[in-house]
Amino acid sequence: MKHTKVRDLLNSTTTLQEVNAKGWVRTFRNNQFIALNDGSTINNIQCVVDFENTPEETLKRITTGAAVSVIGTLVESKGAGQKYEIQVSKLEILGDSDAEKFPMQPKKHSLEFLRENAHLRVRTNAFGAIMRVRSVLSYAVHSYFQQKGFVYVNTPIITGADAEGAGEMFQVTSLPLDNLPKNEEGNIDFKKDFFGKHTNLTVSGQLEGETFAMALGQIYTFGPTFRAENSNTSRHLAEFWMIEPEVAFNDLDDNMDLAEDFIQYVIKYALDNCKDDLAFLEGRLLEEEKSKPQAERSEMALLEKLNFVLENNFKRVSYTEAIDILRDSTPNKKKKFQYLITEWGADLQSEHERYLVEKHFKCPVILYDYPANIKAFYMRLNDNTEPGRETVRAMDILFPGIGEIVGGSEREERYDVLVQKMEALGIDKEELYWYLDTRRFGSATHAGFGLGFERLVLFVTGMTNIRDVIPFPRTPGSAEF
Ligand code: ATP
Ligand code: MN
């Protein structure tokens, strides 16, 4: 007999048929009621064991965490809380789980404890829900771009370009670290390394992505990126997944429209396809917030917040306007910001971003036209900026509770301006000759952005630490599993 997924059993339109279910025991009550979960849904199916006709030996082995197979009749449940249950006629223990030793007890565990048990935390309600939502969101990412005719590009994970400039890089080598070959100058001889040159793990697929956009028109990447930055925050991972669309002939406004439409689409997709999981996560968040002081609790419940993002346009604000708002803000005047805003040109810290989004505008914000000298070399210089106040066509999207979720720009398409900028910043033109070729042969306006997938998953699930929305987090000092 083939077994049926619990999700399909609970959605069944008929009863009284014989069914087989396989899964893991969540709880076993009164020597009679198994709450069985197989990961297909947050909901368990109740399996009613005929304990009088089941050997004591078997009953003892129905413990939290054990894998079991039950055969029985699917019937309408008389008990509260579930529509259907299985009246078990045959029960087989597939894999025992020592109740004394199984770390995932049916009680509340701290998120820290669960992180240390990342291989088992996925057996809890919360992490099952988070990982299903994550999976649905990745599908939505592809679905959005594929429907619009974007080409999915796999940019390299090992990169020969040192100058991507987005963050600190992990080096990749097969040289023996205890016996490094040296060249005549006494430096490490990377010519002897695997690729015959120095290589790194990519921090972004953008530069390679641009070369594809300049041929295929609209492309997107969705893959792992790596940053060796030592920022131990609840928003940074050393290994995370990034989505990077790049579109030929798009300017900054088109770029903002695309980002907004994309984010709204994937959130809507999750709302439509993860109802049970999101309802559970909303309850989890409410529970978690009870332990916080009133002032720190969110004003909206999870689903309300997600719907709010769908129904409201993101507020578009220039950097210059943002600086004026911040300079006159109460926390700035009362010196509550750690970094006070005194003049135009200041880099915005996450405290400022969060003030703008959470206190001032109270909705997602797109900041654009940043000072040139705090942004990357490839961003397009604005045409009519005052000397000393040059700005670039950059945009960051800021989300409540998250801060920056998207960073993007219109790219500098003018060869001469780009070369000048690279020279000023000491970026090696020889090394990036292939990037410059996009500007030498058929250059055109184009724009793109990078969205950190985990920050999106954080927002949609209402979790607060990025380590809790990726299966096996990599952070400074931690690469378990
Ligand atoms: P932040 O200022 O938050 O460190 P960033 O300016 O370094 O971000 P970008 O280089 O523009 O970010 O990367 C694009 C997007 O990738 C960001 O908007 C964010 O969503 C995500 N991102 C960047 N760094 C990380 C990280 N270490 N872990 C998870 N996501 C990240
Ligand atoms: Mn960063």
Side-chain angles (χ1 to χ4, degrees), residues 166 227 229 236 455:
R227 301 208 178 164
E229 49 195 9
H236 289 91
R455 296 206 185 161

Side-chain angles (χ1 to χ4, degrees), residues 133-143 222 243 453 456-457:
V133 171
R134 182 181 165 108
S135 163
V136 167
L137 281 170
S138 357
Y139 183 74
V141 168
H142 286 293
S143 147
F222 184 6
I243 298 147
F453 185 55
L456 174 71
V457 183

Side-chain angles (χ1 to χ4, degrees), residues 90-148:
K90 204 170 146 206
L91 181 139
E92 190 189 343
I93 308 285
L94 302 174
D96 288 285
S97 170
D98 186 336
E100 306 276 289
K101 295 193 180 132
F102 184 53
M104 301 294 112
Q105 294 296 319
K107 62 160 199 176
K108 225 178 144 35
H109 292 291
S110 74
L111 291 168
E112 289 77 18
F113 172 82
L114 292 169
R115 250 169 248 150
E116 286 161 14
N117 290 278
H119 60 306
L120 293 172
R121 69 176 175 175
V122 69
R123 295 204 198 179
T124 64
N125 282 331
F127 283 89
I130 294 164
M131 295 306 156
R132 277 187 299 270
V133 171
R134 182 181 165 108
S135 163
V136 167
L137 281 170
S138 357
Y139 183 74
V141 168
H142 286 293
S143 147
Y144 178 84
F145 289 119
Q146 295 284 336
Q147 275 174 35
K148 290 196 170 309

Side-chain angles (χ1 to χ4, degrees), residues 166 227 229 235-238 240 242 404-407 450-452 454-455 466:
R227 301 208 178 164
E229 49 195 9
R235 311 270 176 271
H236 289 91
L237 291 162
F240 65 101
M242 185 135 74
E404 179 186 330
I405 191 165
V406 162
L451 177 139
E454 284 73 22
R455 296 206 185 161
I466 200 160

Side-chain angles (χ1 to χ4, degrees), residues 69-99:
S69 170
V70 300
I71 291 178
T73 317
L74 189 70
V75 298
E76 277 180 34
S77 175
K78 289 177 218 87
Q82 67 269 327
K83 194 166 150 213
Y84 297 132
E85 61 190 25
I86 301 174
Q87 295 284 346
V88 179
S89 53
K90 204 170 146 206
L91 181 139
E92 190 189 343
I93 308 285
L94 302 174
D96 288 285
S97 170
D98 186 336

Side-chain angles (χ1 to χ4, degrees), residues 407-422:
S409 66
E410 186 179 318
R411 317 306 188 188
E412 182 55 76
E413 84 286 10
R414 298 162 295 182
Y415 180 82
D416 295 342
V417 182
L418 187 58
V419 164
Q420 236 176 30
K421 188 70 169 282
M422 288 169 75

